[in-house]
Amino acid sequence: MSLVRRIVNAAIHRAYAAIRRAGAITPATPGGHEFRRIGDGVSIAFPPGAIFGEAYIEIGDHTLIGERVSISCGMNPGLDLGHTSILRIGRGCSIGRGSHIVAHQSIDIGDDVFTGPYVYITDQNHVYDDPDIPIGRQWPRNSPVSIGSGSWLGAGAIILPGTTLGRQCVVAGGAVVRGTFPDHSVVAGVPARRVRGYTPELGWHDPVRPDPAS
């Protein structure tokens, strides 16, 4: 590589790094002021994904949100969704790049929740009540979602409406999750099921065969 090309290449990389720093959304930037709450140390990386409904979104202190992450409330910008928050992300979380969190009724993500890239979390889905109407034209149905503190969601996991994950749960990459799972669950599969559990009495065990010595 010629000297001129190396100089140009280095300048481009420095400029892009500066753009990423300047483009991040933080409590101190104008974009941060749109949120219902955005805590100290929060950073939403540049470039962001689709972000709207900020007045109904709370993000706890020191949470990091990767680039191209979409976080939204409602079908489209500018909707009146009431007087309370709809999407709540706790403190110390890390949301992987390319993920989507789409709230319409209620999504609660606890503290210290980490996700891999391209995770999808939603509290709304289309129904299939009438087999003669295109599914995309049938009115969607909402059901709240809750993800317990300390949980880890693997790359490409999908969290569907009506899901409740307890504390310190692991969701395997690519799992499609619906339902209620207790604390310390390992959840995997399509559809997802609980494949491991933990209790002080039994330690880690197969929930179908609760006695690890059997």
Side-chain angles (χ1 to χ4, degrees):
M1 183 183 294
S2 70
L3 176 60
V4 171
R5 188 172 178 183
R6 287 200 299 270
I7 292 172
V8 171
N9 186 269
I12 290 171
H13 280 276
R14 285 196 300 270
Y16 183 66
I19 290 169
R20 291 187 64 190
R21 288 192 298 271
I25 299 172
T26 72
T29 63
H33 300 161
E34 301 294 324
F35 288 81
R36 187 178 190 90
R37 180 178 182 271
I38 184 168
D40 294 337
V42 169
S43 179
I44 301 174
F46 178 88
I51 299 177
F52 58 83
E54 295 96 328
Y56 306 100
I57 300 172
E58 299 183 31
I59 304 175
D61 296 348
H62 306 293
T63 283
L64 303 178
I65 296 177
E67 61 187 52
R68 297 181 175 87
V69 171
S70 294
I71 48 176
S72 61
C73 289
M75 291 284 191
N76 50 265
L79 295 179
D80 183 353
L81 301 175
H83 303 291
T84 61
S85 58
I86 292 174
L87 171 55
R88 294 163 291 276
I89 303 174
R91 66 178 183 274
C93 296
S94 178
I95 308 299
R97 68 183 181 278
S99 294
H100 295 258
I101 306 174
V102 182
H104 298 268
Q105 181 180 357
S106 178
I107 295 178
D108 275 294
I109 299 174
D111 300 330
D112 301 305
V113 172
F114 283 59
T115 86
Y118 308 110
V119 168
Y120 182 63
I121 303 170
T122 185
D123 63 357
Q124 183 182 89
N125 211 347
H126 288 280
V127 299
Y128 198 8
D129 294 335
D130 190 330
D132 297 321
I133 297 177
I135 296 167
R137 296 187 181 279
Q138 299 193 42
W139 195 252
R141 189 173 294 143
N142 301 332
S143 188
V145 168
S146 177
I147 298 172
S149 294
S151 293
W152 164 260
L153 311 182
I158 298 173
I159 310 299
L160 294 174
T163 295
T164 298
L165 290 171
R167 295 177 58 256
Q168 306 280 110
C169 288
V170 172
V171 175
V176 179
V177 184
R178 185 197 300 273
T180 299
F181 301 89
D183 296 350
H184 306 292
S185 292
V186 178
V187 179
V190 181
R193 65 182 185 89
R194 188 171 180 245
V195 297
R196 295 282 282 171
Y198 178 86
T199 64
E201 298 79 17
L202 298 176
W204 289 105
H205 61 276
D206 182 338
V208 178
R209 296 170 52 200
D211 182 357
S214 64

